[in-house]
Amino acid sequence: MKMYEELVARGLIAQVTNEDEIREMINNGKATFYIGFDCTADSLTAGHFMALTLMKRLQMAGNKPIALIGGGTTMIGDPSGRTDMRKMLTKEDIDHNAECFKKQMERFIEFGEGKAQMVNNAEWLLDLNYVDLLREVGACFSVNNMLRADCYKQRMEKGLSFLEFNYMIMQSYDFYHLFQHYNCNMQFGGNDQWSNMLGGTELIRKKLGKDAHCMTITLLTDSNGNKMGKTAGNAVWLDPNKTSPFDFYQYWRNVSDDDVLKCIRMLTFLPLEQIDEMDKWEGSELNKAKEILAFEMTNLVHGEEEAVKAQNAARALFSGAADTSNMPTVELADEDFENGEISIVRILVKAQVAKSNGEAKRLIQQGGISVNDEKVADFAMTISADKITSEDVIVKKGKKVFYKVVKA
């Protein structure tokens, strides 16, 4: 199966311009395409994962990716899908986040001469003269059309700032600049970006002529990974220091029955023939599918060794097996104990199961906490240092969050 047909079969494509030309270019390795990543945090999230795997798929088929780091557009903030204005970040914060993104992207995409490129739109956006920009680009945009765009609708209800209103123009200018200076002929993005991305295609054609070969494709998710199953969102990070490999594995292991095969098809590199066979699975077989999804995703992000550890730990937990060596831990120091004991409330806060003592107490009162499979009824409960050092102490929140308590 050719690459464009595979993208369609995997359920990745939502909307396209001039599909026949897009198909021909992708299938023959002639596409130089970009995907943009605004630097709003110091790690990419699971919501970015479809874009990363898409870039990898297309590169494997001979096409050339451009990873556009949004050092300039992040200073404005994308209003798409937002009911409030994004937090304003300093240039130093944005530069730091951009460096973090680069390191994570290199796990998926091969950069170098003749391969993928990584560029930062701060290089051209921050040096633009405002009056020159208005004269060169502003005349190409209809305010009436912009106000009808989906990316502004939610913000219009509470008030759209003039700062955010400029985002479409900045994003459109990115494609215009990349088309002229990097031979970029195609752009991909989340389905919520359709209006912004069409702005770039229209700008190129108005400035360079209707025959300019520039194409736009949106994916069947928005920029946060919605519609990819459960929302990937900002809670599940690709940085192992923010979301551990075990928690990352558990996130995918716990997707719903309705979403697991959709995620396998969209996000993994398993052959479509194998996935088609899995479409017939029902009932308990779907748990096997979830294990496959979780392992494949953890392997892609954190490597095979961490994926195996996470899988073994999860199996031990759910089967009641004795092997807890790969279980996530909360490590306690001597100063955490008072008279040789520590309260269950303090353990929950140390493990970040609860953000505060009050939240920990509420979880206990609601019956959501157990220790070694025995429900905790009293938030005054304590555990001795001797018990922790002599046997496994497993603290559980609900059915899916586990920590082994250990002493340094």
Side-chain angles (χ1 to χ4, degrees):
M1 183 181 293
K2 293 185 177 180
M3 178 49 60
Y4 184 78
E5 284 70 23
E6 180 174 342
L7 298 182
V8 173
R10 287 185 180 273
L12 293 171
I13 305 300
Q15 302 181 81
V16 300
T17 61
N18 40 317
E19 184 175 38
D20 289 342
E21 190 170 6
I22 288 172
R23 179 187 293 107
E24 190 274 334
M25 295 189 76
I26 287 177
N27 286 345
N28 291 286
K30 295 179 180 178
T32 298
F33 67 96
Y34 96 90
I35 299 180
F37 301 83
D38 275 353
C39 315
T40 53
D42 59 0
S43 172
L44 295 165
T45 72
H48 294 111
F49 200 79
M50 182 182 289
L52 295 173
T53 55
L54 175 74
M55 295 175 88
K56 183 178 178 72
R57 290 185 210 280
L58 290 171
Q59 186 176 44
M60 291 168 65
N63 300 285
K64 294 182 180 179
I66 298 175
L68 177 64
I69 303 295
T73 42
T74 306
M75 298 190 78
I76 297 175
D78 183 4
S80 301
R82 302 281 298 191
T83 57
D84 57 355
M85 187 171 167
R86 293 183 184 272
K87 178 184 176 183
M88 297 285 284
L89 300 176
T90 66
K91 187 176 184 302
E92 291 71 25
D93 288 337
I94 293 170
D95 290 344
H96 169 73
N97 294 346
E99 286 301 314
C100 295
F101 279 21
K102 288 179 184 178
K103 292 176 183 177
Q104 292 178 343
M105 287 180 182
E106 287 169 351
R107 286 192 58 89
F108 303 93
I109 306 157
E110 190 175 358
F111 293 97
E113 188 173 351
K115 299 175 182 175
Q117 299 179 76
M118 187 176 293
V119 297
N120 190 325
N121 62 17
E123 295 174 12
W124 55 85
L125 292 182
L126 298 189
D127 291 334
L128 288 173
N129 177 285
Y130 187 60
V131 174
D132 289 344
L133 178 69
L134 288 177
R135 287 176 62 86
E136 181 181 9
V137 177
C140 298
F141 285 83
S142 161
V143 172
N144 290 345
N145 289 339
M146 291 174 71
L147 290 175
R148 285 193 290 268
D150 289 341
C151 59
Y152 291 141
K153 282 183 179 178
Q154 283 185 282
R155 294 291 293 116
M156 288 292 290
E157 294 175 6
K158 290 193 174 183
L160 177 72
S161 71
F162 183 69
L163 176 74
E164 296 169 289
F165 188 61
N166 281 271
Y167 191 90
M168 181 186 290
I169 295 174
M170 296 293 98
Q171 183 172 336
S172 300
Y173 191 89
D174 282 342
F175 194 20
Y176 176 56
H177 182 90
L178 293 171
F179 183 87
Q180 288 185 294
H181 299 280
Y182 291 85
N183 297 316
C184 178
N185 49 36
M186 198 174 295
Q187 58 177 337
F188 283 83
N191 205 20
D192 58 331
Q193 296 291 311
W194 180 247
S195 298
N196 285 348
M197 293 167 70
L198 282 181
T201 303
E202 292 169 5
L203 175 60
I204 290 170
R205 289 174 177 164
K206 286 179 180 177
K207 296 294 293 182
L208 303 177
K210 293 182 179 180
D211 294 330
H213 293 280
C214 54
M215 286 140 277
T216 296
I217 305 175
T218 60
L219 305 175
L220 201 63
T221 71
D222 68 15
S223 302
N224 290 321
N226 296 324
K227 299 180 186 176
M228 188 174 66
K230 61 193 290 189
T231 302
N234 291 328
V236 183
W237 307 94
L238 303 192
D239 183 345
N241 296 313
K242 296 171 77 72
T243 297
S244 72
F246 177 83
D247 288 336
F248 188 83
Y249 178 97
Q250 285 295 91
Y251 173 83
W252 297 106
R253 174 63 180 78
N254 292 324
V255 300
S256 71
D257 290 355
D258 292 337
D259 292 330
V260 59
L261 291 174
K262 182 194 306 180
C263 289
I264 289 175
R265 193 175 293 276
M266 287 181 167
L267 301 177
T268 76
F269 287 82
L270 295 177
L272 282 169
E273 295 79 9
Q274 180 181 348
I275 300 171
D276 289 341
E277 285 298 314
M278 295 166 65
D279 275 336
K280 304 170 187 175
W281 291 3
E282 306 180 326
S284 61
E285 288 181 309
L286 291 176
N287 287 327
K288 181 180 177 182
K290 293 176 187 181
E291 270 203 344
I292 291 171
L293 171 65
F295 183 87
E296 292 294 324
M297 295 295 290
T298 309
N299 185 18
L300 284 167
V301 175
H302 299 297
E304 185 176 7
E305 182 179 352
E306 292 296 336
V308 169
K309 287 181 180 178
Q311 185 173 71
N312 289 342
R315 286 175 173 174
L317 287 168
F318 288 111
S319 67
D323 181 9
T324 62
S325 58
N326 295 314
M327 191 181 300
T329 62
V330 51
E331 190 171 283
L332 305 176
D334 288 338
E335 55 267 27
D336 292 318
F337 293 85
E338 186 175 343
N339 298 323
E341 295 186 330
I342 183 171
S343 70
I344 184 62
V345 168
R346 181 160 177 76
I347 290 174
L348 294 175
V349 174
K350 286 282 291 185
Q352 297 183 337
V353 171
K355 295 179 181 179
S356 64
N357 290 351
E359 183 181 345
K361 291 177 181 179
R362 285 193 295 274
L363 286 171
I364 293 168
Q365 289 171 334
Q366 292 165 2
I369 303 297
S370 62
V371 174
N372 291 351
D373 288 328
E374 291 189 11
K375 198 171 291 293
V376 177
D378 185 357
F379 56 72
M381 172 187 172
T382 60
I383 301 174
S384 69
D386 289 342
K387 181 178 178 68
I388 291 170
T389 54
S390 64
E391 62 181 90
D392 285 340
V393 175
I394 311 300
V395 174
K396 183 192 299 185
K397 173 189 172 185
K399 296 181 179 179
K400 299 175 182 178
V401 179
F402 302 81
Y403 283 93
K404 180 169 68 172
V405 184
V406 299
K407 190 173 183 297

